[in-house]
Amino acid sequence: MGYVGDVGNRAQDTPGGSSDGGVHPPPIVDAGGAVAPDGWAGEGASVGQSPLRRLGKVEMLHTLHDLFPALPASFDANVDLPLDNDIALAFSLPGTVSDLEVRRFMDLAEAALTALGPNAPNQKFVCTGSDQTACARDFINTFGRRAFRRPLAQVEADDLVALYTKLRTDPAMNYAFADALGILVEAMLQSPGFLYRWERGLSAPQVDGMLVKYDSYEVASRLSYYLWNTMPDDALFAAADANELTTPDQIADQAARLLQDPRADETLADFITQWLELGPLSTTIKDANVYPTFKPELLDSMRAETVALSHDVLRGTAPTFSALLTAPYTFVDAQLAQYYGVVPDANGRVDLSGTARLGLLTQGALMSVKGNSYRTSPVRRGKFVLNRMLCQTIPPPPPNVVPELPPPDPTKTVREQMAEHRSQPSCAACHNTMDLLGFAFEHFDGAGNYRINDMGQPIDSSGSATIDGQVASFADAAALAKVLASSHEAHDCFTREWIRYAIDRFEQSADTAAVSYLVTTYEGSGLDTRDLIVRITRTLPFSHRAPADGEVLTP
Amino acid sequence: MIRNRLSRRSLLAATGASGLLLPLLGEEKSFGQSTPSFPKRVIFIVSGNGTIEDSFWPTGTEGNLTLGEICSPLEAYKSKLLFPRGIDMRVWAEDNPFGGNGDAHHNFGAILTATKLATGDPPHDPGGPGLALASSESIDQNIARTINTQLMAQGQMPLQFPVLSVRAWGRDGTGYATLSWTGNRAPVSAWSDPTKLFSTLFAGGTTTGTMPDPAVVKALKTRQSVLDYVGAALDRQGQRLGTQDRQKIQIHADAVRSIEKQLQGGAVMAGCTAPTLPSVDFKPIEDFPPLVKAELDLITAALACGMTRVVTFAPGDGEDYNIYFPWLGITGPGIEFPTRHKHDIAHRPGVNNVDKINTEKWFMSMFAYLLDKLSAVPEGNGTMLDNTVVVWINSLNSGFAHTVLKMPIVLAAGANMGIRTNRLMDLQKEAHNTLLAALANAVGVQMTGWGDTRFPGVLNLT
């Protein structure tokens, strides 16, 4: 799963669904403001709309590997995957399907079967009876349940049986039994049941007052794609079959199980690297004349450093936001240790006390990806802090009013260059905010290393920003990290980032109760991030959605 | 099933050195007409990151132009060129720049639609550009739909590829890179892999007169049967959804059916000769020039074979973070960005703009390459270029200031297109909507305006 940019068009005043007429216990305020212990929403509960999603690139690959354990790892590199409309920053939003995407789905399905060869499920399937069509139907229902992440409706199986018959009997095709089943597998992989997060299938939505409650199969996939980036495992399927994914406790118990599993490590790393916008890191280039000790191989080491510290914090005894930002230690491999000039212990751990480094923000990965090729970039670093740590926005430069700036004077420090930059009134409004945050990182050069001077002058890394409604001044990046670590605004932002990651959409105003609840409980738990990751699954935005405009709610 | 109503005329393959015979499928004879008329084609090319004005626009008077340095590769086609100076992307410039449009590096979704971007699509990083999705159908799609309707009304087969959308690199499926849209927030992915495009265009075999290979027929029939199933599954599942989701599913189902049609066409496209693709990987930056040429070869072949009449092509995207120019001797890290890529050059064009001018000039040499190919396909007494209009639009004026006023645009129009060429037009704040409408009219799709109704009318190109 990932961050997405798609927002339901209306947050409030969603049309009411028909009342389900059922008798529910009186609302009990619990998770997210209004989900009762039995999992049904209380009266007046609201939640945002949630557009239909398609599997993203990573989700699709993981799902194929789970669906076909015999699929070789080399498969991934050799297929042209449908795009997520990636836009480098951290989005993962599969968009509408054009004809080229349809071809990609087709190629992907065929390539999967080819790569599986004799290990494909159709080749392994044995028809014991004499009625091959009945066997085909069994195969369709068994494989289809996993491919669609839910049981198939009768009519869906009928369609596939009809396709099977055509494949066997059409004179131009005339497939043998196992080959026909292979084409059925390809067909199912191109079907909306596989491609879309559509685990409700053909059934009517579960109407819950004004809302729609996800059914157990939908919840199973919501959990698995959130925490493992893939299809549900056997335990989740079993829970869904037993309809035991309906109450907040049942859902959260499964979430806790998935989070505890090492398979969630990749999700934690995925969240952290997307949150820190490290996507472009691997293709970052630095000028060898300016940074002679930098080597491109270090970029992987830097990413690994960020992942290792996050893993240590989030899997450790104090998995807190503040620890992520202010951990006085890090983990480096041999070449990064040499680059930084530090001496790690046998586990690669480096004690940072007494140094300028502190936590994730001062690591080589973020400093490099937010640095230019030949110098630092207070603008990009400051903008990053505003966007990602404080959930504040900076409008883009207005078209047609950006003055042509003179090329930077290379004899001046970056700070001096930026001062000229901000002397333009049309720039100053935004750049004052970004630059004064970004200056805090001036001790870290564009390639992530510590430096004392800039153009022979001692570095001034002081800055200021309005945080939690007050002007905070800080002497350097470590001081800024400490301010952020204890900032309510930053806690609120970090909580929102996790919510977006979990529910695959932006929060909307109808989700306000759940967001406030999660921010409050996060701070109340002493910033226990593992608790937050699980607790999100107890709330309405995870278990419910508002009906879509024009959706057919009646059975 | 063979389009036997179309006469066949052999000619040397314009697009490859193979020497195989390429039949002409495009000739149409109307009842009662003795002289053949050829279909009109339009190619929309959009390239990003702006230009250097002084080196782009020509000087001189009508019939006596002196091309700017950037456009100098087009010298041989000067008599066919029209430079409409003074066209503004008003739909972008006159909207609140912070109202969802923002940085004009991300305006691809508003160029051929000539409408504002989609609303309700804020980016995750609100300081960033979002997905910049378009809000309406693009003109290439509209023209192609109309042409297909016209063809079917005349009892002819619709075009196999109503629009052929191709790009060289660039990020797919967003308003950063996508020119062609079937509607609100519905990008049409462009072909970016010449090898795949080749095998798609020529899937049905390329040899005149031979029976299709049964194995090919079986493979195509299988794919058609599967797609038939997929289309029905989409229809059924889409019934319950909300309006927006249902639209998404409808777009998917339409795409499935469009592929089904393409496959049918592929089975009967016997006779078309494919261009010869160079045996390079197309992935490293050094292969960018052969990539662009291969794509232009394929575009020419698809037009010559009658598979399409409407093409969009983008040699890159609105940002061009991944296109750099080792073959021009421009290497090393950039000035504002890690690489001296096209975007970096746009922001920092080099001493006396030398890097910017040289790279833009290279793109114009690719334009000239396309014109070479189009004019190498005989058509009647002339060439295919006579019946084609190509418009090359730069998405920005200045790549540094991100301006969209006085957009750098140059048209190459054949003799039969009803466009008066060999001149520079000086316009005042002309909305680009009117130019697009004029191009639709030039290929026989009548319209009185295009896109945002605040900017109505048709630019007079005669």
Side-chain angles (χ1 to χ4, degrees), chain B residues 19-30:
Chain B
L20 292 174
L21 296 179
L22 180 71
L24 181 67
L25 299 176
E27 187 178 354
E28 292 165 2
K29 259 184 195 161
S30 305

Side-chain angles (χ1 to χ4, degrees), chain A residues 285-286 369-377 379-380 402-408 417-418 421, chain B residues 105 321 332-341 343-349 399-402:
Chain A
I285 294 175
K286 299 299 172 188
V369 82
K370 297 296 174 194
N372 287 345
S373 60
Y374 66 104
R375 63 163 168 83
T376 62
S377 176
V379 178
R380 294 169 66 200
V402 179
E404 294 276 354
L405 291 174
Q417 291 174 18
M418 293 296 122
H421 190 202
Chain B
H105 277 299
Y321 284 131
I335 297 174
E336 284 190 21
F337 295 90
T339 314
R340 187 75 173 140
H341 46 49
H343 198 132
D344 191 75
I345 292 169
H347 282 218
R348 301 289 177 194
F400 176 72
H402 303 167

Side-chain angles (χ1 to χ4, degrees), chain A residues 473-549:
Chain A
S473 298
F474 29 83
D476 54 20
L480 170 60
K482 286 175 188 163
V483 171
L484 291 171
S486 59
S487 150
H488 171 71
E489 214 175 322
H491 301 158
D492 179 278
C493 184
F494 189 67
T495 305
R496 286 171 192 270
E497 296 277 18
W498 267 109
I499 294 170
R500 294 163 185 172
Y501 190 81
I503 64 176
D504 234 3
R505 63 171 174 84
F506 265 81
E507 73 276 14
Q508 301 160 22
S509 55
D511 301 307
T512 301
V515 173
S516 313
Y517 163 80
L518 288 166
V519 173
T520 306
T521 53
Y522 186 48
E523 291 192 316
S525 72
L527 307 179
D528 181 339
T529 306
R530 288 201 300 270
D531 182 77
L532 169 66
I533 293 169
V534 171
R535 192 173 295 273
I536 290 169
T537 68
R538 308 183 72 96
T539 64
L540 276 173
F542 197 85
S543 61
H544 287 68
R545 62 180 173 83
D549 297 348

Side-chain angles (χ1 to χ4, degrees), chain B residues 254-329:
Chain B
D254 290 347
V256 166
R257 285 177 179 126
S258 138
I259 299 287
E260 282 188 82
K261 281 198 196 104
Q262 290 175 16
L263 290 176
Q264 283 165 11
V268 299
M269 276 316 290
C272 272
T273 298
T276 308
L277 295 190
S279 50
V280 297
D281 188 40
F282 293 124
K283 290 197 177 88
I285 187 65
E286 289 75 17
D287 291 348
F288 189 74
L291 170 76
V292 171
K293 287 182 178 173
E295 293 186 337
L296 296 174
D297 289 348
L298 288 161
I299 286 169
T300 307
L303 290 166
C305 291
M307 296 170 179
T308 188
R309 294 180 190 178
V310 184
V311 173
T312 73
F313 178 65
D317 61 24
E319 299 201 305
D320 294 319
Y321 284 131
N322 53 7
I323 296 174
Y324 51 109
F325 303 92
W327 64 91
L328 298 177

Side-chain angles (χ1 to χ4, degrees), chain A residues 123-138:
Chain A
Q123 303 290 350
K124 296 281 185 197
F125 182 77
V126 179
C127 180
T128 49
S130 58
D131 183 350
Q132 288 191 322
T133 306
C135 281
R137 186 177 287 274
D138 286 348

